[in-house]
Structures are given as structure tokens and as C-alpha cells.
Amino acid sequence: MLLEIKDLYVKYGNIEALHGISFHVNKGEIVTLIGSNGAGKTTTLHAITRVPPPEGSTVSGGDILYKGKSILKVPAHTIVSDYNIALAPEGRHIFGNLTVEENLKLATYSRPDDENQQKDYERVYDLFPKMAERRYQRSETLSGGEQQMLSVSRAIMTACNFILLDEPSMGLSPLLMYDMFRVLKQLNEEGMTILLIEQNANLALKFAHRGYVMDTGEIVAQGPSAELMNNPEVKKAYLGG
Amino acid sequence: QNIKIGFNIPLTGDIPKVGEESKFAGEMLLAEINGQGGLDVGGTKYKLEFIYEDNESKAESAVTAALKLIERDQVLAIVGPNSSKQAVPAGQVCNDNRTPMISPWSTNPDTTKDRPWVFRAAFLDPFQGPVAADFAIKTFKAEKAAVLYALANDYSKNLAEIFQADFNSKKGDGAVVAFESYGDKDQDFSAQLTKIISSNPDFIFLPNNYNEVALIVKQAHDLGWKGPFMGADAWGNSELMTLCGDDCKGHYFSTHYAAAGAKGATKEFIDKYNKLYGYQPADVAALTWDAINVVLAGIQNAGKITGDLRKDRKNIREGIAAIEEVKGITGNMKFDAEGDPIKCAVVVKINDAGEFEFTESVCP
Amino acid sequence: MSLLEIKSLTQQFGGLTAVSEFSTRFEGRELMGLIGPNGAGKTTVFNIVSGFYKPTKGKILFKGKQIDGLKPHRVTAMGIARTFQNIRLWHDMTLLDNILISQHYNLGYNLFDLFTRNRRYMENEKRMTSIAMELLEQLNLVQFKDEKPRNLPYGIQRKIEIARALSVKPDLLLLDEPAAGLNSSDVQDLIQLIRWIHNEFDIAIWMIEHQMAVVMSLCSWIQVIDFGKTIAEGTPDEIQNNPDVIKAYLGDDNI
Amino acid sequence: MLDSIFQNLFNALQWGSFYSLIALGYTLVYGVLRLINFAHGDIFMVGAYIAFFLAMFFLQGDGGLSGPVILAMVIPLTMILTSVCGVALERIAYRPLRRKGANRLYVVITALMCGLILENGNLAFLGASRKSFPELIDKVVYNIGSISMTNLKIGVILSSILVYFVLNAIISKTRIGMAMRGISYDKFAIPLMGIPIDTIIMVTFILGSSLAGLAGILFAMSYPVLDPFMGALIGWKAFIAAVVGGIGDIKGAFVGGFLLGIVEILAMAIFPSTFRDLIAFSILMIILVIKPTGLFGIAKSTKI
Amino acid sequence: MINTKKMSVPSLLFLLAAGTIIAAHFQLIDLYVQTVIMFIGVNIILSSSFNIINGYMGEFACGHAGFMAVGAYVTSVLNIMFFTNSKTFGQAIFAPELALYFFPVTMFIGGVAAAITGLLVAVPSFKTRDDYLAIITLAANFIIVSLFINMDVIGGARGFMGMKQIVFAMEDVAYIPWMLIWVFTFTYFTVFVIRRFVTSTYGKGIIAIHQDEIAAEIMSVNTNKMKLVAFMLSSGLAGLAGGLFAHILGYINPNSFGILKSTECLVMVYLGGMGSLSGSIIAAVIFTLLIEGLRFIIPAADTLLHLMPIIPDTFHLSQVLKWVIIPLILVILMQFRPEGLMGNRELSDFFPKLKKYYEFK
Ligand SMILES: Nc1ncnc2c1ncn2[C@@H]1O[C@H](COP(=O)(O)OP(=O)(O)OP(=O)(O)O)[C@@H](O)[C@H]1O
Ligand SMILES: Nc1ncnc2c1ncn2[C@@H]1O[C@H](COP(=O)(O)OP(=O)(O)OP(=O)(O)O)[C@@H](O)[C@H]1O
Ligand SMILES: [Mg+2]
Ligand SMILES: [Mg+2]
């Protein structure tokens, strides 16, 4: 097990958002978290990446183990620099005052300046030609979808072997969305582990190996994707019929 | 029973140094008189009690401080505020509430005008301005003068204007070839000085606070000025020499007293202050000392302390108004109908040892 | 006279042409879709129509009057309301206030009335409150009226944004990606809601959306733009099968 | 007339250098935290005092050190000690507030209060006497044509230019600089890039305060009268300069500082000096009305 | 029908004010306390009017004292010109007794003048935002002060006085503490006007601008007009504060209205909480009392510390510490309440029961 969430409780102030959830992600897997709005998916990812208050929440119980070691107490930035876990956050959070290229460069802050880095630039620009085109544009003037691409590209550029994606397809055109999932699949085949949150549950389950279904802070169903897709309750509540 | 006297002084704000020196002068005098068993009024010895209120160099605070002293502390008289910005409104309050007040340092005529209860210890600008003009004409053979003053400081502005009018009237219109100003807390004067120097005056009149003087004189020298400066009483601070150093030597200013070569009580005061607080007292300390002495003389003149506050205050006011002459360390003084002192000014030279050396004395 | 007529609209940002020679028209109360790849200029078109940008070139007529160059609040007052790609509610005011403030186009009183709180003021405040309450009731949002949007679920926030836009009694409603971030079942609800609004309020709706399920089931006419230019338009069926559109935008969904 | 214009321009450059140096510190902190560090002017004052005490210490020591040697020691030491002061403020007063998610204006007000504490604390504990900064280097007056310059003034101008180029290189070229700019836009995402946010903020405060320290020494040498309130007004004005240049922008602060210096001095040179504030501030206001984001600032364009 | 319960808070406030006035009249409270109360009133006007811009509208303006200066000078000059014989303005135009009746009028004109000066910052605010606007307000403050310094007719840097004559003229009509009455009246008026404004749909437009200006503009709020109204209202009310200030003090000086004063306004607004009217009022009271209270606390603490020999005999706590202690207290307060005392909530949000005891229309 690469990542293990054990009975995690999380609070915003006094309001509990996660009521003891447990799940795990194995090395090389694609796992998806699906569930209705406000179920606590984003909260889970933020807990893993240790986003501090006030933007974030506080863990009030349980543990998060990475390769068997607890990462609850480590400083936030070491999640990337030491543990190599990257997050493409909900709401994009790009650095609007920097150019596209500077955004990507900043993502390499904690990695050595080697040729792999160069390869990753190429890969990103290859994946999203728009990014190459807009390289020197201040990123805040990008269109919504372009910003989303930048956010995902940035997560890829941190060169982590474990990447968390929070609704990466939001605002992307269908074409790009499929392209992106193809690339993610390819990355996965090269050894990258992926934990994906996606509103489009159909797509997510098609893409992932395993899935967890969340509802109001709890995990209500889990299993291999195919199994979940055929689960009538999941179908009814989350797959739109 | 004690005799309570209030101090309305700027311990914080723009000019804390002024407040500090006033306070130190007060403490020194207090220790001296109480050390002798107190003040002798009509045969009884009364201990003195001084209450120091901070007016933050703000007009509104000076008013509340005055009221607090009058209403809460029930003082017999108030010394301060020092600068006119606070002394004018505080003077109003003291006058309205029938409490004698004496400002050691304020030079604005409005402070005492039509206010029978308000006095001051410093001479007024209309007297000092011409002293400077006359001296410069005589000593520098000056035909053309330049003035640099602090716009937001009414002391400086007033004096500058009076000097300008006087000099022009003596040497013809336009004899003041440059009349420049600077703002509150300014530190760079190069533009004004460039203007002044290019207008070729025979000397530069600087009716400014000593800390600014130090900067102005240095900067003028940087810009190539080699002529003389003439200053006013606000130069009269021991710190001037620490701040200004060699640059100020050889220049003149008019003031209340000359520290170097001072004799008698003046010397005693300076030495004692220096010993106690580690630096030479400025004119404001000396004026505060004199102001307190005026109040004490007024109390002694009143002849008795009745314990009825209103009556005592009235008696003290009459007592001060009736003063024949107080021998002050800044000169001997008596008061005219407005409550302004009639006293002499001296012109001092800053000699090569950096001392303020007596040059001449001008009496009204 | 058509409701809205856009004639060869062009918008440049520096050297970049975000929209070029774009034209369209609304005859009456249609429900039209505007789709296209990311960065094609869809939002920019909405921004120009709602008065946020002044177009480099082109003309927009609304109910026969020229509106390009007008300030946004004027455009809204004339009857064009919109929602945003990223939710922009006033998050720290109550839901009711959110709806009320949109009544600024028709306050009915002035500052003098305000300070004296005379009859005119009272009546108008009452009128606006009842408009707002009625709308909230129609949209089943009354129970949240004193809540702050920040504390409400994302789906509800989207709905509130639509409610707020409706409160200006628009003739044309612009929806910028209303389904973004909604999960599949919420999307179904949204489709119902938009259809219902279209009928109930009898207004024209113009919609940008990337989720084809929404666009195809709602819109009667769809326009596709790429690099700011119209590359296709037609009924949902025509669009879905147009090879240009598939190549530029729809793609194929095998992962 | 022409001579005096050149003389004035030279003076303005020197005076503007101080505005620039202080404005750079303002802008640096602002550029990262969107925090108007109103205590910056007072940190500058602290710098001047630290330099004073260091200089006195070395002068009184019996090493018999010469002025320039002392200066060479005082400069780095002052910069280090001043940045300790700046960092202390950040750690004690600003950071806890930031952590609690306070509105940035509350941090601004806290900074204002910290400035007051520094000023009045100095007054209360060092007394009201002003300090006179010793002359560490011999003044040389050069006359070129009829323009007088001193070695010190030339040094000040050169230092501020040098500082600008160094700082600009740090901000635009290095990763730390990029991270600094990133923080200003979105603090949330910074740790997600593997960037230790507190370290970057600390570096910012160290840089900013050491600049204030440097400005403090140079100022103390040029205007050798130190008092507790010496930083207040120049601080406000430098802030104005930074904003007029485009706050958060290094070039903006640099140019803004010189601009303010030139405007102030030329306003005095050309018009009666009593109108200086009136004219100078009217000009700045007009600049901002015409360019609402300052000379070099870029509007944070909001995507809708 | 009058609901008596709903009247209890207003009547209580009225009784308190009336009680103070009566007590002042019979000299049960001394002039010092009266003056402090009047300054509290002035500060309430200042902070609550400043809150319109800095709190409700969320801009960072920092030149409030400038508008106060305009009000102070205009009101004072008018009063002195009309009702007293002065060197500058010659004979009185009207009988001095009329000063009493026309005082609200001249105050109002002062307020209007300040409001018009407010245009100086309102118009730039259409395009300029954030800290750029802060500089414009700051510059406006400098400009206004500099203008007054350069006007020698009204004293320039020397200041302007004679307003006590006006107060005396009022007292000649009837000897009661008029200034106290005026301060109460105008403070009430200010709070009343601001409350009416920010609770109306119209006024809430500025809160919408604060939270999302783009959304406001798109949702039919005429943002430029709202800014104009807000800035003019805020500066106009500051002008009232200036008029009162001038007459309480009897003397004004341009330097009293510099950035220092503006800073005090800033502190009060943020101490109270952005967008909280009751917060502004509470902060103004606390701040003024703190400044005055330290006059008593510091000597008391000094005596206390010397009684239990903690500090050496030679060391005395002096008033110099005042301006170390005040900011220190504020910094510490901020750490505990990083959104100001009240946040953006009102007293009635903390004590919902309070709502039963007053009615607000
Ligand atoms: N900053 C916050 N403060 C308080 N409560 C919050 C905060 N962020 C989220 N919550 C609450 O926590 C719960 C879980 O939210 P979360 O964002 O994790 O859900 P989600 O599953 O990611 O939803 P979505 O699909 O909308 O992204 C929700 O009820 C939400 O209201
Ligand atoms: N203010 C601006 N300055 C410069 N370029 C801009 C600006 N606004 C938009 N653009 C550019 O114009 C293009 C069109 O942007 P727009 O937001 O209209 O795209 P869109 O079609 O809505 O895309 P999406 O579906 O991703 O939201 C983009 O490439 C964007 O980078
Ligand atoms: Mg989420
Ligand atoms: Mg868009």
C-alpha cells in the first residue's frame, strides 16, 4: 500500500466534514473518489497534502500513512519535495501574475535541474499545445479551460510519482478532456499512481482501476470500477440514471 | 498642604525633547525648593507638588490635559504648553476657567492676547526679528538677505515674516532676495538652498529649530555656501553643537541667554542641569525654569494660600501681574498688560570651541 | 424586430484576436447554445454582450437599440442578465440580500427618500422584497433565504446565481457553463431547471457549456466557434455529426 | 538658471535614492504578502540607530580603526541586525495574524501599530535627545561647472542603482524570486509546488529590512541628525512612491522613488516652496488618475 | 400604537444623554469629563463615517482627517464671519445671538463642503482601486492640509481661532452646555444616517461592491454612482466631526488634521471591525478612553510598582510610555480578535435578545 487513510476525521472549525473514512491506494493504481457535491472529497485531498488553516481544515482523528509512515505532522511543502505527492487543486489556483512558463518553472522548485525536467516540459507542451502557444502570456488572462490545463500541467511538472487530481476535467472541452485522460493513462502506465476526483462518475470509473463512493463525509461504497458501475444504487445516485 | 502646579508639556509627539527638558527643569527646581523645606508664602512653608501631563504635541490633547489639571488635579497654576499650536487653545481653556497659565516658549501673540490669565516667559517675535536684522546689517554689512523657514511651524514662519518686513523696510523692498520654506519633518533642503545660493545673499537667516539648523548648515556647505548664517532663539540648544559640529562655528544667533561665559545663577543652573541629566540645557529648559519662578513669585506676591481654589488662583494671577521684576536666568523680566514679558535679548556667537559666546545685548 | 442581433463582432487583446467577425441573432425566445474549444472566445462574447468589454469592432442591437459600449449595469437594466463561469455571488450577504441588490436597476426611490424613509421608500422596499421572495419560492430556495451562499452546497450556489440573474426580469439570460462542477445527478436537475425557466419565464436563453448532455438536450440551435470564428451552426443533430466540430471540439470518447 | 536646474536634478537624484531604497523594501514585502508594511519607515529608523551605535562602538574601541574601515564593518552588520528586527516583527506580530486568516488590512494596521511602538519605544528608552552620526568618511566636494557634488551623494546614488539591479535579478531570475511573486497571487498553491512558504516570507523580510538598514546608514551619513521619528514621514512618502511606480513592482518602486524626489525638488525649485506638497501630491494624484495602477503596475485583471 | 418594549433602548440612550447634559449644567461632572465625552462623540462620528468606505465598501482609504479639516475650517470661518467681530472678516453680519440657531446650518454647510471635497477622491475611485486608491486619499489629505497652511487669511500654519466666541454667544442666549448638546445631536444624526443608508437596498450596493465589484456592476448596481455617494457621505459626515472639533477646541490648526489624525481614524475603524457600525462606536469609545485613561493609569501603576519594590526607585514610569502602551494593547488585541472587536457583525447579532428592545425603521 502506497497511501493509506485510516479512520480519518476532519473538521472545519467545529463542523466535522469527514466522519472517519478509510481507504487506500496501491502503487501504480488509478483510484477514483466520486460522490455528490459537498461529500468531502476535496477535504480528503487537502488533508493528505496538509493544506493548513485558515484555507484548510484540521485533522481531528485518524491517520494518513504514506509507505507506512504517518505524514500528518510533516510541513506542507515536504509533501511535494520529500514525499513526491502532487495535487492539482480544485479551483485551479494558478499564479495569475506569472506567465504560463513561469508557473511551470515554479512547479519544479524542489526538483533537480536535470534532463528529465526538460523532457517533462516537452511532454506537457505536447499534451497541451495551447500551453506552448501561450507560454509567455500572463496566466490570469487565460480562458477557464486553459487555466485548468495549466493547473494539471503544473502537477505533472512537479515530477511526483503520485498525483492527486481534483476535478481536472472541469471546464475542459470534450476533446481535451479525452486527450487529458489518455495522457494520464499513459503516465500511469509509466508508473505514476493517480488518485482522481471527478464529477463525471461515468468517465472516472471507466478510467480508474478502483473507486470509492463518498457521501456526506463517509465512504458508502467501494470496489473495482466495473463492479461499482454495475452497482444499482451507485448507478442511480451518481451515474445519472 | 501642598502647592500643586501643573505642567502641560509634549512628552511624546513631534517635539519630545522640549517636553523632556521642561520636565527636567521642573524636577530640578522642585528638588531644590522642597529641599529647603518648601516655598515660603506669607511666613508659612508649603511643599511643592508638580504634575506633568503629556499633551502629545496635539492641540486637542493640550486642551484635555489642561482641563484635567484644572478640574481633576486642582492645580493652582499651569506651566506650558510650549509650542503655540498647543498654547493657544490651552490658553483659552485656562483663561475661561480662571487658572493662571504661563507658557515658557510660545511666541504667538494670540496665546496671551486678551487673556488676562495667560502669561509667557519668552519674548515675542516682533521684538526678536528686528534684533536679528539690525545685528546682521551692522555686523555683516548686509544689503541682501535670504530666509529659510519651516512652513508648518508657526514660530518659524512668524519670525521669518517679521524679519522679512523689517529688513525690507530698512534696506528697501526686495532686499530679502530669497524667502524659502520647507515642510514638517523635512530632512533635505537642497532645493531651497540651491535657490537661495543662486540669489546671492549676504547672509542667510534661519529662524529654525536647532536640529533642522544642523542639517541646513551642513547641506548649504555641501552646496558651496561660504557666507554667514544668522539664527534665532531656537538655535539655543546644547545639542546644536553635537549635531552640527564644526559647520556651525562662527555663526550668530539671537537668544535669551548666552551659555558660555554665563555668570551667577545662569551658570549655576546650567552646571547643575548638566550634572543631573548629562547634557546642557536648552533655552526651553531655562525658560521653563524662569516660568516656574514667575509662578512662584506670583504665589509669594499673593501673600497667602487660603485653600479656596478659586480665590487662590485669582490671587496668584494678580500676584503675577503685579510682579515688579523677576530675576530670571534668561534675563530679568516683568509683564506688560498682555502678560508678555519685557526682557532683553542677547546675540551670541558660536566660537571655535563650540561655545555660545556673548556678543551683544539688546533691550526693548 | 429581433431580440438580439450581433453583427461581425471582433475583440482584440493586444495582438490576440479573441473573437473575430462573430455574428448571431435571437429572433424571439429561443434557447441557443454556444460551444467551442477552450479559449475559443465564448466567454469573451458574453463579456462583450453584457457590457464588460467594449468591442474592438462590431455592433450589438438589443430590442433594436445599440448596446455595445454601454456600462454593464445599463445593459442589465435593459434586460440582459448573466451568470458566471466561476460562481460570483456576494458570499457574505444573505441569500435574500443577494437577490435584493440585483433590484438596483429599478429602485424606485432616491437618496432623499432613503434618509427620510418616506412612503415611497417603504413601498418600493416592500415591492422589491416581494419580488425577491416570490422568485425564491418559485425556485424552491426560500428555506435558505437567511443563509450566506458561502455555506450552501455548490449545486445550490449555481442555482442561486441563476435566481439572482432572473431577479432583474431579463428578456435574455446568458449562462456561462452552468453545469461546471456539478455531479451527474445535479446535472439532470439543472437541465430540468433550465427547461422550466425557459418555459415559465418565457425568456431567451443563451448558454455556454462543455457538457454535451446538457447542450444537446436543451438547445434548439447551436453555434460552434473556434479561434473566435464561427465554424459551424445548426441543430444538435447536425452539430454532433459535423466532422469539423468533431475534429476541433468533440473528439471521440475512447480512453 | 540652467546651472541651478542641473544642481537641482543632481540633488533630486540623491534625495530620490533614499525614497527608492525605502520604497524597494516596501514593494518587496508588498509584492509577496500584499502587506503594506507601515513599520518599514521605522525599521529604517532602527537601521540608522543600529548603525549609530555600531559606529560609536568601533570609534570608541581602542583599535584605532579608520573611518572607511569602520564603515565597511558597519554596513553589513547593520544590515544583518536590522533584518533581525524586521524578521522579529514578522514572526511576533504578522505571522500569527496571517495564520488566523485575518483580513490583510488588519495586518496592515498591526504594522502601523508596530511602527508606533518602535518610534515611541525608542523615545521612551533612549530619551528625547537626538543623536549625531559621526563622520566616517571625509567629505569631498567636487565642483563640476557650477554644480557641487559630494562623494557621499554620488555614493548614495550609485548604491541605490546597484541595489536595484541586484534585487531585480533576484526577483525576476531566481526561483526564490519567482516563488515570491507567486505567493502574492495565491498563497494556497505555494506548498503544493514544494515551496516552504514561511522560509520565502522570511527571506523577503530579511531582504526588505536589510535594505532599510542600508538606507538607514546612508541616510544617517547624509543627514546626520537621528531622532525617533525620522522614519515616519519618509516612510509614508516612500510608500507613496512605491505605489505611484506600481506597488509590488521592483522597477516601479525604483522609478517611483526617483520620480517623487525629482517632483518634490523641482516643484520647490520652480514654484514658491510653500506650495511644494500641494504641487508634488497633485502631480502624483494626476499620475494615478491617468494610470490607475501606477507607472509599471499591471492591473490584476479578473477573469469573468 | 407604540410598543413600549421597543422603545426601551432609545429611551435609555436619550435619558443617558439628557442626564449627562443636566449633570453638566449643574456642574456635577466637570469640564474635563465633559470634554472627553465630546471627543468621544467626535471620534464616533469619525470612525463610523470612515467605516462606510473602509468597512462597508472595503476600500483602504487613509485620508479621513483631510475632510474633517474642510468641515472644521468652513464651519468656523462661516460662524466667525457671520456672528462675531473679527480682525479678518470685519463686523458681524448677523446678531451674535443668532449663532445658536444657525449653528446647525453652518455645520451643514461645512459638511456639504467636505462632501464636495470628497469628490477629489471619489472620482478617481472609479478607475483606481485598492492601495492605489489609498495613495490618492493620502495625497488628498496632504493636499488639503497644504492648502490650509498656505491660506494666510485664515491663519495658515498659525491656526485659526475665535470659535469660543460663538460658544459664548450661544451661552448668552441660554446658559446651558450647548456644545455637549450639539455633539450628542450630531453623533446621533450620523449614526442614524449611516444606519438608514446601509440597511437599505440602495446602500447595500456598497457592500456588494466590497464583496464582488464585477458581480455588482453586472447585476445592475451603478458602481460609480454608489462610490460617489459613499465617498461623499463619508467625507460629509467627517466634515461635521471637524465642525464640532473646531468649536470644542476653539482653535484649529492645519497640522491637527495630518496623517496622524487619519491614522487614528484607521485604527478606530479596524479595531471596531470592518462594516460594523456598533463596532465603530465601541472602538471610538475605547480608543478615546484609553488615551485619556492612561493619564491616570500610568502614574497609578508607577506608584503601585514602587510600593511593591519591583522597579528601582530612580526609574519612573512616565507618560512617554503612553504611545508605547496604546499600540501594544492594540497589537495584542488584534491577535485575539483578528477581525476587530465586532467583526462585521452588530451588537444585535451577538445579543439577539437586544432586538426586542428597540425598533429600527
Ligand atoms: N473552508 C470551509 N469552511 C467550512 N466548511 C467547509 C469548508 N470547505 C468545505 N467545507 C464543508 O465541508 C464539506 C465537504 O466539502 P468538500 O469541498 O470536501 O466537498 P467535495 O466533495 O469536494 O465537494 P465538490 O464536489 O463540490 O467539490 C462540505 O459540507 C462543505 O460545506
Ligand atoms: N483580458 C484579456 N487579456 C488578454 N487575453 C484575454 C483576455 N481575456 C481573454 N483572453 C484570451 O482570449 C481567449 C478567449 O478567452 P475566453 O475566456 O473567451 O475563452 P472561452 O471560449 O470562454 O474558453 P473556456 O471554455 O476555456 O472558458 C483566450 O485565449 C484568452 O487567453
Ligand atoms: Mg471538491
Ligand atoms: Mg469561458
Side-chain angles (χ1 to χ4, degrees), chain A residues 12-13 15-18 35-44 46 54-57 90 166-167 197 199 214 217, chain C residues 150-155 181 183:
Chain A
Y12 287 100
I15 306 161
E16 200 172 74
L18 296 185
S36 52
N37 292 118
K41 307 179 294 290
T42 302
T43 306
T44 309
H46 285 183
E55 291 99 334
S57 44
E90 183 179 64
D166 200 344
E167 303 188 26
I197 291 181
Q199 293 293 359
M214 280 185 81
Chain C
R150 169 185 309 298
N151 302 326
L152 294 171
Y154 190 81
N183 66 22

Side-chain angles (χ1 to χ4, degrees), chain C residues 50 71-73 76 82 88 90-93 97 100-102 104-105 109 114-117 121 125 164, chain E residues 193 196-197 199-202 204-205 208 211-212 214-222 224 226 229 361:
Chain C
S50 55
K71 304 270 281 163
H73 69 97
T76 311
R82 70 171 287 178
R88 301 192 86 114
W90 298 299
H91 277 289
D92 285 323
M93 280 195 271
D97 278 347
L100 269 179
I101 287 168
S102 318
H104 257 246
Y105 77 104
Y109 60 81
L114 187 160
F115 288 126
T116 51
R117 298 237 154 155
Y121 171 86
E125 283 282 337
R164 186 177 69 173
Chain E
V193 162
R196 287 208 155 171
F197 185 66
T199 50
S200 68
T201 300
Y202 192 151
K204 277 177 195 160
Q211 294 187 10
D212 191 332
I214 289 170
E217 178 70 28
I218 293 267
M219 294 319 302
S220 85
V221 178
N222 185 345
N224 284 358
M226 287 311 298
V229 170
K361 278 215 192 82

Side-chain angles (χ1 to χ4, degrees), chain A residues 36-39, chain C residues 87 89 91 144 147-160 182 186:
Chain A
S36 52
N37 292 118
Chain C
I87 295 179
L89 289 166
H91 277 289
F144 304 120
E147 299 264 0
K148 292 181 176 166
R150 169 185 309 298
N151 302 326
L152 294 171
Y154 190 81
I156 303 286
Q157 291 185 20
R158 281 267 177 219
K159 199 166 163 186
I160 295 172
L182 295 185
D186 283 351

Side-chain angles (χ1 to χ4, degrees), chain A residues 143-145, chain C residues 38-39 41-44 85 176-177 208 210, chain D residues 303-304:
Chain A
S143 83
Chain C
N38 293 113
K42 307 178 293 296
T43 302
T44 308
Q85 189 166 352
D176 195 350
E177 300 197 28
I208 298 175
H210 286 304
Chain D
K303 270 300 283 186
I304 51 175

